[in-house]
Amino acid sequence: MFNLGNLPKLADEFFSEVADLSQLTNSSLFLCRSDGVPLYVKNELNSEFDDASVGALLGGVWQAARAMASFIPNSSLEEEYRLSFDTSDKGIYIVPINLGGEEVYLGLIYFKEINPGMVKAKLREISWRFSEFWSLVNFKEEVQDSTLFNNITDEEMDNLFASTLQ
């Protein structure tokens, strides 16, 4: 089951401890829900902006692009789409991440980039790794939650076996 309440904490842990963001200089990284609520923000831009506004715009532009893509003949939502709005050294790049049936968006605003292709490839790699990270953490939580006798006390165990011996 997808738990959005846990996602900001997991995103912070992933981006600070697991993901290598060293190649993403001169940029800002955003992870937001499909409704535009930001879940993680790493702002490296010199400009001032509101995280909630950027998240809402990021979610909105993705939804608009998806609606436009629906006009493409023989197109399928299962295909791996990404959105790029850029020049040779600056731009915006957005990729979707499917987390157990729920979609979130990972976006990057970058500038003064010598190799934008490398930055885009890095963002796609980060999105795949985040999806794997989420799956592993979510699987571990499901296993812990389904453990038999997870919260049973010693006294309850003694009573259980004492009643069968009498």
Side-chain angles (χ1 to χ4, degrees):
M1 175 58 69
F2 188 97
N3 184 353
L4 280 180
N6 242 2
L7 196 51
K9 180 182 157 218
L10 290 176
D12 190 51
E13 180 182 340
F14 174 79
F15 289 112
S16 63
E17 298 176 21
V18 178
D20 176 16
L21 303 180
S22 63
Q23 294 174 315
L24 302 180
T25 58
N26 297 328
S27 63
S28 286
L29 183 71
F30 300 90
L31 180 70
C32 72
R33 296 186 329 204
S34 59
D35 62 1
V37 173
L39 301 168
Y40 176 83
V41 177
K42 179 182 180 242
N43 183 4
E44 299 289 327
L45 298 174
N46 292 332
S47 61
E48 300 267 335
F49 60 86
D50 178 35
D51 297 348
S53 296
V54 172
L57 290 168
L58 191 133
V61 75
W62 183 265
Q63 297 297 328
R66 171 164 278 159
M68 289 184 67
S70 70
F71 298 121
I72 301 170
N74 301 321
S75 181
S76 167
L77 288 179
E78 286 78 39
E79 295 179 66
E80 189 175 318
Y81 282 102
R82 55 207 174 269
L83 181 71
S84 183
F85 181 78
D86 57 6
T87 65
S88 60
D89 71 334
K90 60 186 169 289
I92 301 165
Y93 192 61
I94 306 169
V95 295
I97 304 173
N98 188 320
L99 303 177
E102 293 288 331
E103 195 168 65
V104 296
Y105 309 121
L106 184 62
L108 184 73
I109 300 173
Y110 62 92
F111 67 102
K112 292 184 183 177
E113 182 55 55
I114 296 171
N115 188 350
M118 182 270 307
V119 168
K120 292 175 182 179
K122 181 67 178 175
L123 194 69
R124 288 191 305 273
E125 175 199 340
I126 289 170
S127 72
W128 299 326
R129 290 184 67 207
F130 183 72
S131 181
E132 289 174 358
F133 176 79
W134 184 86
S135 295
L136 289 172
V137 169
N138 196 42
F139 177 74
K140 287 179 184 176
E141 287 177 358
E142 286 176 7
V143 168
Q144 287 175 349
D145 288 345
S146 67
T147 303
L148 190 59
F149 302 118
N150 194 23
N151 293 322
I152 195 164
T153 65
D154 289 338
E155 182 181 351
E156 290 170 323
M157 287 298 288
D158 291 342
N159 290 340
L160 178 67
F161 288 112
S163 65
T164 59
L165 294 175
Q166 295 176 356

